């Protein structure tokens, strides 16, 4: 089809749903992947749920820092629950159909812009959730404006927060260097480096997924990068930010021994 031609109306009305391919190219690993991602999902819910619970119940953890950690854990549970249950359902039932824009859009402008595109031809999204870049590929018109809008959103919600976070950690590191004890500096650097690692893992994978040149887009690479920022970092975050904290460990022990 010529991209300059508007597709016939009858072709557009047929596409009321898409198909999420997910990991359909690995048919012999479907149940293995189901078990793996189900285990990861349970770990994420249990670890973040435990942190949320003990920060609410233990009087020793009633400080602003733990208030924000509790909210962070709650948001992590909500965050993974957007994608993982759908992935598990697709792996378990092999029914990968998804209707066109059923939920409440988080970024309404981008969502409206993307789903106002005419879709014709293939309706198979080569991803495990309704990610924007592989969805835009299915449009049968030029998508330059959409691509630019997507890059702008990625810069505003990816690069800018990433740089601000790195800037805050640079201040923390400068404070650590002023500590009088070498043991204190070593302990603080250990904690800080693990925090920076998970921040880089999350933002780095998301920024690469959204901002890499279109000519270098690989759908399989995109899926791998998405696994990092949608599944792996929420699994690591409780360990990095909370479960290495002595106060959290003591509160957890008190809860378990009750």
């Amino acid at each position: 089809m010529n991209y300059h031609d508007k597709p016939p109306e009858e072709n557009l009305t047929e596409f009321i749903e898409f198909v999420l391919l997910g990991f359909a190219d690995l048919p012999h690993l479907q149940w293995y992947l189901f078990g793996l991602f189900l285990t990861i999902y349970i770990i994420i819910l249990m670890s973040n749920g435990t942190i949320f619970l003990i920060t609410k119940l233990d009087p020793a953890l009633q400080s602003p820092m733990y208030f924000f950690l509790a909210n962070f854990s709650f948001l992590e549970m909500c965050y993974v629950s957007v994608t993982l249950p759908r992935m598990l359902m697709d792996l378990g039932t092999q029914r990968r159909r998804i209707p066109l824009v059923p939920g409440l859009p988080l970024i309404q402008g981008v969502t409206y812009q993307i789903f106002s595109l005419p879709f014709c031809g293939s309706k198979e999204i080569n991803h495990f959730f309704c990610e924007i870049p592989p969805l835009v590929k299915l449009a049968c018109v030029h998508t330059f404006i959409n691509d630019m809008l997507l890059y702008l959103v990625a810069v505003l919600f990816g690069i800018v927060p990433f740089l601000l976070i790195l800037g805050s950690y640079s201040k923390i590191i400068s404070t650590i260097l002023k500590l009088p004890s070498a043991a204190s500096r070593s302990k603080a650097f250990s904690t800080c480096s693990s925090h920076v690692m998970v921040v880089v893992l999350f933002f780095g994978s998301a920024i690469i997924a959204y901002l890499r040149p279109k000519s270098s887009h690989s759908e399989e690479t995109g899926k791998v990068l998405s696994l990092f920022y949608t599944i792996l970092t929420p699994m690591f975050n409780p360990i990095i930010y909370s479960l290495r904290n002595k106060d959290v460990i003591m509160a957890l022990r008190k809860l378990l021994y009750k």
Side-chain angles (χ1 to χ4, degrees):
M1 176 179 289
N2 189 327
Y3 278 135
H4 296 287
D5 296 334
K6 185 176 180 180
E9 187 67 26
E10 60 270 17
N11 287 346
L12 299 180
T13 56
E14 294 176 1
F15 290 93
I16 59 173
E17 61 184 9
F18 292 95
V19 176
L20 292 171
L21 292 182
F23 302 96
D25 55 335
L26 302 171
H28 56 294
L29 294 178
Q30 296 295 294
W31 285 108
Y32 170 78
L33 292 173
F34 178 85
L36 175 63
F37 291 127
L38 177 61
T39 302
I40 291 175
Y41 188 44
I42 292 172
I43 291 173
I44 292 172
L45 293 183
M46 289 186 64
S47 56
N48 284 286
T50 300
I51 292 168
F52 181 82
L53 181 64
I54 61 177
T55 53
K56 296 298 182 183
L57 296 180
D58 197 298
L61 301 182
Q62 304 305 308
S63 66
M65 181 181 79
Y66 295 109
F67 170 80
F68 286 112
L69 281 177
N71 281 274
F72 183 53
S73 295
F74 177 75
L75 289 174
E76 289 285 56
M77 291 188 289
C78 296
Y79 177 65
V80 297
S81 295
V82 173
T83 54
L84 264 175
R86 174 74 209 198
M87 186 198 306
L88 292 171
M89 185 181 74
D90 290 342
L91 287 169
T93 65
Q94 300 300 306
R95 295 184 62 186
R96 300 184 174 90
R97 298 184 181 277
I98 183 170
L100 183 64
V101 204
L104 177 67
L106 298 179
I107 308 177
Q108 295 190 18
V110 176
T111 305
Y112 174 79
Q113 185 73 17
I114 297 300
F115 284 100
S116 63
L117 291 171
F119 295 97
C120 51
S122 174
K123 58 180 179 178
E124 296 179 340
I125 303 175
N126 192 4
H127 215 285
F128 56 88
F129 66 98
C130 197
E131 182 68 302
I132 294 176
L135 178 62
V136 172
K137 283 186 175 182
L138 302 183
C140 51
V141 293
H142 285 302
T143 58
F144 176 79
I145 295 177
N146 302 90
D147 293 335
M148 292 301 103
L149 183 60
L150 184 59
Y151 286 143
L152 177 61
V153 170
V155 169
L156 291 178
F157 294 97
I159 293 180
V160 173
F162 182 51
L163 293 177
L164 290 174
I165 292 171
L166 289 183
S168 68
Y169 275 109
S170 68
K171 295 288 186 181
I172 294 172
I173 292 172
S174 66
T175 303
I176 292 173
L177 292 173
K178 297 175 184 177
L179 294 175
S181 167
S184 299
R185 289 196 299 270
S186 176
K187 181 180 178 181
F189 268 122
S190 174
T191 302
C192 189
S193 62
S194 60
H195 289 189
V196 172
M197 180 184 69
V198 76
V199 167
V200 170
L201 181 65
F202 176 81
F203 281 98
S205 58
I207 289 170
I208 294 172
Y210 278 84
L211 293 182
R212 57 194 173 133
K214 205 170 185 180
S215 58
S216 67
H217 276 194
S218 164
E219 292 174 335
E220 299 306 317
T221 303
K223 284 193 281 188
V224 172
L225 289 170
S226 297
L227 286 175
F228 278 99
Y229 65 82
T230 59
I231 296 175
L232 292 183
T233 51
M235 185 173 66
F236 292 145
N237 281 338
I239 301 171
I240 299 297
Y241 289 109
S242 301
L243 297 179
R244 298 177 66 196
N245 184 296
K246 288 183 178 180
D247 293 334
V248 173
I249 293 174
M250 289 180 63
L252 182 58
R253 285 175 178 171
K254 285 193 290 185
L255 181 66
L256 293 176
Y257 293 148
K258 277 186 178 181

